[in-house]
Amino acid sequence: MQEKNAGGLEKMKCSDQEWVDDVYEKLVVKMKKECARVGTMIPYSPRNGRYQDLDFPGGIYFWTNGFWPGMLWQMYEATGDEAYRKTAEGVEERLEEAISGFEGLHHDVGFMYLLSSVANYRKTGNRDSRRRGLHVANLLAGRYNIAGKYIRAWNESFNGKDDVSGWMIIDCLMNIPLLYWAGREINDPRFEQIAISHAKTAQKYIVREDGSCNHVVIFDAKTGEFVDNPAGQGYERGSSWSRGQSWAVYGFALSYRHTGDESFLNTAKSCAHYCISNMAVNDWLPLVDYRAPEKPVKYDSTAAMITVCGLLELAEHVGEHEKKLYTEAAFRILRACDEKFNNWDPEVDSIVDGGTFFYHDPTGENTEVPIIYGDYYLIEAILRLKGKSLFVW
Ligand code: GLY
């Protein structure tokens, strides 16, 4: 992990609101410099404190390519600084290549284009951005498997050998808000029908009764019959990959927001309670998998940041006597992670260290490193707590 810079308020010596105000000030300073340095590059994880452009195997199609423009739109909403808007628009133009190229696209068009084109459209009304958002929403809807009632995730498996036409994954809960948005935008209920149908399938085959989750479910793509629940990015079959858990918390809470279906709210709560209890017994820090051996200890800060955003979303949908549970847990996670992982040096690209892509990582290159979506969800959380965030989901 990178060296942490000193500074900031000491643990628990200030109120949560003072802590948020302090972090916000550091964020404004750091993001201004980072925006000028990174510009319209499409970053993922810095090397020696510097982001590179498209520095990963998926290139222009990589699922994380929307997070940098997402960070820029959030900062534009919060500060009104035109540099963020112009830079985000430049990245969005680059992402047009993936739409026209098409063949490398997958279910993660939600992450890619909600945070770039749809964010632009929501904020500025740009018609080209709306067109891009509607185009990729149609591509996502086209991945729906009618027999199995799921949206197909990937085009290729990790090993490049499996047929993955029958695979759906928990992460897709964060992509289907693209369908809720598109359906409302053009007044076509098919988009919401597909989103709801997929979310119901995830409830049935991915979420377990105790609020823990599988990462993957495999169906027979022809008949729609259940085949298997392999480990995916987690430790083993039956374990609980923490980022998958966080996608479930936030994803089901969002499906509740968009549909009003109470079953989605209850599923989000049950997944949230599972995450909260697992982090509470680990100093409010997220392990990569909540059901892996105690040693080696491996963290994934990105799971923490996503969980926090999910908890803050949940807090908006519950009564006043429940709100405290979710907001207090969110603060504890945020503050514990700030102490351990955050780097506020404006000369270093990225803020949140300690992100891990998957549990089994033989080279260690993707273990406990800064990853762009850790920063995105930190920013979203801090701006939500400041009342300055742009709703993008
Ligand atoms: N959506 C892929 C991941 O969370 O790693």
Side-chain angles (χ1 to χ4, degrees):
M1 283 193 267
Q2 292 175 0
E3 283 297 304
K4 276 188 56 178
N5 58 319
L9 301 180
E10 274 180 61
K11 191 181 179 186
M12 297 316 217
K13 287 201 176 153
C14 60
S15 71
D16 285 335
Q17 197 52 52
E18 285 170 322
W19 178 84
V20 168
D21 293 344
D22 176 62
V23 167
Y24 177 71
E25 277 174 32
K26 290 188 284 197
L27 190 59
V28 169
V29 172
K30 178 149 180 163
M31 278 299 292
K32 174 112 187 136
K33 289 230 167 179
E34 198 170 287
C35 176
R37 221 171 24 238
V38 177
T40 58
M41 285 203 288
I42 302 184
Y44 173 65
S45 180
R47 283 198 223 142
N48 301 319
R50 282 285 176 274
Y51 280 130
Q52 319 292 320
D53 189 32
L54 292 176
D55 179 27
F56 32 77
I60 197 70
Y61 296 105
F62 200 52
W63 75 278
T64 65
N65 289 355
F67 288 107
W68 175 239
M71 288 159 64
L72 299 170
W73 283 114
Q74 291 293 357
M75 293 308 294
Y76 180 54
E77 174 76 5
T79 66
D81 185 334
E82 289 292 321
Y84 292 121
R85 182 181 62 77
K86 288 195 186 112
T87 313
E89 284 171 353
V91 181
E92 184 185 341
E93 275 167 31
R94 293 189 65 195
L95 289 175
E96 180 98 46
E97 184 193 332
I99 301 178
S100 56
F102 172 66
E103 283 171 300
L105 282 177
H106 35 64
H107 73 147
D108 286 323
V109 287
F111 285 113
M112 290 172 73
Y113 294 95
L114 279 170
L115 298 177
S116 53
S117 302
V118 180
N120 187 352
Y121 173 64
R122 285 188 204 267
K123 182 69 185 153
T124 72
N126 183 316
R127 301 298 289 186
D128 259 349
S129 300
R130 180 179 187 268
R131 169 185 59 76
R132 292 181 183 116
L134 291 175
H135 190 149
V136 292
N138 275 276
L139 300 183
L140 185 60
R143 297 182 75 86
Y144 182 70
N145 181 302
I146 295 169
K149 300 188 167 71
Y150 66 90
I151 293 172
R152 173 184 177 161
W154 300 318
N155 303 333
E156 286 164 18
S157 64
F158 292 129
N159 61 23
K161 288 185 199 143
D162 298 323
D163 167 13
V164 291
S165 54
W167 290 41
M168 76 175 268
I169 64 174
I170 187 67
D171 322 32
C172 193
L173 265 289
M174 295 300 290
N175 290 319
I176 60 175
L178 179 64
L179 301 178
Y180 294 127
W181 167 78
R184 225 166 270 149
E185 197 60 30
I186 57 172
N187 195 23
D188 185 339
R190 291 173 306 151
F191 290 90
E192 184 185 71
Q193 286 159 4
I194 290 173
I196 291 175
S197 171
H198 174 91
K200 294 271 173 196
T201 305
Q203 270 180 319
K204 185 168 171 190
Y205 291 100
I206 291 198
V207 182
R208 308 183 191 116
E209 284 193 5
D210 63 357
S212 72
C213 293
N214 295 294
H215 179 197
V216 180
V217 52
I218 303 179
F219 298 101
D220 180 315
K222 283 200 179 131
T223 65
E225 279 166 30
F226 170 82
V227 174
D228 197 8
N229 281 126
Q233 285 165 243
Y235 174 66
E236 66 178 1
R237 184 183 304 271
S239 69
S240 95
W241 174 50
S242 61
R243 197 161 59 256
Q245 299 292 154
S246 63
W247 295 137
V249 175
Y250 202 1
F252 281 113
L254 287 167
S255 272
Y256 173 69
R257 174 193 275 264
H258 288 294
T259 65
D261 182 330
E262 294 268 340
S263 82
F264 293 143
L265 181 64
N266 288 328
T267 302
K269 284 184 186 181
S270 138
C271 296
H273 301 163
Y274 178 86
C275 291
I276 290 170
S277 40
N278 274 283
M279 282 195 244
V281 294
N282 199 43
D283 301 327
W284 297 96
L285 296 170
L287 298 167
V288 179
D289 193 309
Y290 297 127
R291 287 185 189 152
E294 276 185 30
K295 295 273 167 56
V297 175
K298 290 190 196 182
Y299 294 110
D300 178 16
S301 57
T302 70
M305 296 304 112
I306 299 157
T307 302
V308 163
C309 289
L311 297 177
L312 295 177
E313 176 70 22
L314 262 179
E316 288 193 28
H317 304 299
V318 295
E320 61 170 317
H321 304 304
E322 270 183 285
K323 228 181 248 304
K324 188 167 174 246
L325 168 66
Y326 300 116
T327 45
E328 275 210 7
F331 269 114
R332 283 177 197 226
I333 298 165
L334 275 172
R335 295 184 69 160
C337 287
D338 188 42
E339 281 267 306
K340 187 162 177 72
F341 299 119
N342 291 357
N343 186 330
W344 290 109
D345 181 349
E347 303 309 325
V348 174
D349 288 345
S350 84
I351 302 165
V352 189
D353 204 343
T356 298
F357 191 42
F358 35 47
Y359 190 92
H360 297 288
D361 176 21
T363 66
E365 279 174 24
N366 292 293
T367 299
E368 295 189 357
V369 292
I371 309 181
I372 190 82
Y373 42 90
D375 282 18
Y376 173 80
Y377 286 100
L378 169 71
I379 291 173
E380 189 187 294
I382 296 301
L383 297 190
R384 261 187 191 244
L385 291 166
K386 288 285 287 180
K388 288 174 181 282
S389 67
L390 177 69
F391 181 75
V392 290
W393 303 108

